[in-house]
Amino acid sequence: MRKNNDSGRLTVYLISAVIFAGAVILLIVNSINGSDVSSAQINSNTSSTGNSFSGENKTPSPPEIKTAMSDDGITPRVPACVVKGAESYYSDSLIIDNPDDFLCIVNRKYNLSSDYCPEDLVTVSIPFAPGRTDDVKQMRSEASAALSELYNAAEKEGFKLYGASGFRSYNTQMVLFNKSVASKGSIEEAGKLNALPGQSEHQLGLAMDFTLEELGYRLKESFGETEEGIWLRENCHKFGFIIRYPKGKEDITGYSYEPWHCRYVGKKAAEYIYENSLTLEEFYGLK
């Protein structure tokens, strides 16, 4: 009789052990699944944050590009080089596919094709420095309207800005760069201040250089220390513009400090970029 009781107890113990082991395994599985969900949620949250602006909790889409290769997939397809030796500037460049986007990025790596020209160029209605040709007095229509608002606001506060250069075609940029090379003696020195054709924001029709009568209508770094330059830096974002090449960010933008160079990106993005002290490269996470 005792043996039967012992056998019954053993059966109960075995069943209890199996149930306990099952419970442990279930807890482990749930724990693993829970970790996976948490990780996925973290990854999802991470991917949806970043350069958010104007209440949008998302990172702007990166520039659309196509590799700078010809149809054979071997020969680099780059804009015509200006002078012998300029090829190095295009060695790893990419031709952007979205030049009409107000937030597109153009720099030493992301280039415009040689035949790109905005279709909605208009003559801007602000005064220009003497001697400027009609072609550089143009911008895309939306940027031109915003520029007029900026100029009028500055004038109301007693600041007199003059346009120095707006739209510049690929060919115009080529002429300017060649002159800079002749003046500075090398492509490298010229490239510190002047963009090669295809690498200039002016070709977008979204950039405007400003100058002052007191500076002899020239583009000088001292513009940034004038009352007009300070006003422009602190207020241009209200009209959809950014100072594209700010001081201290030369290693990121690839260009020297240009307090006179304003780029239209739209009010929402401009406000975010200004408030967070970003360059367009940092805005896209392309540092």
Side-chain angles (χ1 to χ4, degrees), residues 47-109:
S47 65
S48 66
T49 57
N51 297 330
S52 58
F53 60 97
S54 300
E56 295 181 14
N57 191 29
K58 62 180 182 180
T59 302
S61 299
E64 297 173 17
I65 56 175
K66 54 188 176 183
T67 55
M69 291 290 179
S70 61
D71 293 337
D72 62 15
I74 301 173
T75 311
R77 179 175 54 75
V78 297
C81 293
V82 193
V83 291
K84 187 176 181 181
E87 292 88 347
S88 60
Y89 281 84
Y90 293 109
S91 60
D92 60 351
S93 65
L94 301 167
I95 310 301
I96 65 171
D97 276 343
N98 61 337
D100 291 327
D101 190 328
F102 289 132
L103 268 173
C104 78
I105 189 167
V106 172
N107 56 23
R108 295 200 191 283
K109 182 169 184 178

Side-chain angles (χ1 to χ4, degrees), residues 206-225:
L206 298 175
M208 177 59 68
D209 291 339
F210 289 99
T211 187
L212 302 173
E213 183 177 8
E214 67 186 74
L215 296 178
Y217 301 111
R218 290 176 293 174
L219 301 179
K220 302 178 68 174
E221 278 194 15
S222 57
F223 173 86
E225 306 308 316

Side-chain angles (χ1 to χ4, degrees), residues 51-56 58 60 102-103 142 236-242 264-276 278 283:
N51 297 330
S52 58
F53 60 97
S54 300
E56 295 181 14
K58 62 180 182 180
F102 289 132
L103 268 173
E142 183 175 323
C236 68
H237 65 282
K238 299 174 183 177
F239 308 93
F241 291 88
I242 59 172
Y264 183 75
V265 293
K267 287 184 180 180
K268 292 181 180 180
E271 288 173 0
Y272 182 85
I273 289 170
Y274 173 78
E275 290 169 0
N276 292 277
L278 302 175
F283 181 68

Side-chain angles (χ1 to χ4, degrees), residues 4 18 20 25 51 57 72 102 108 121 146 151 165 199 243:
N4 289 337
V18 169
F20 177 76
I25 292 172
N51 297 330
N57 191 29
D72 62 15
F102 289 132
R108 295 200 191 283
L121 289 173
Y151 175 82
S165 184
Q199 298 181 357
I243 302 298

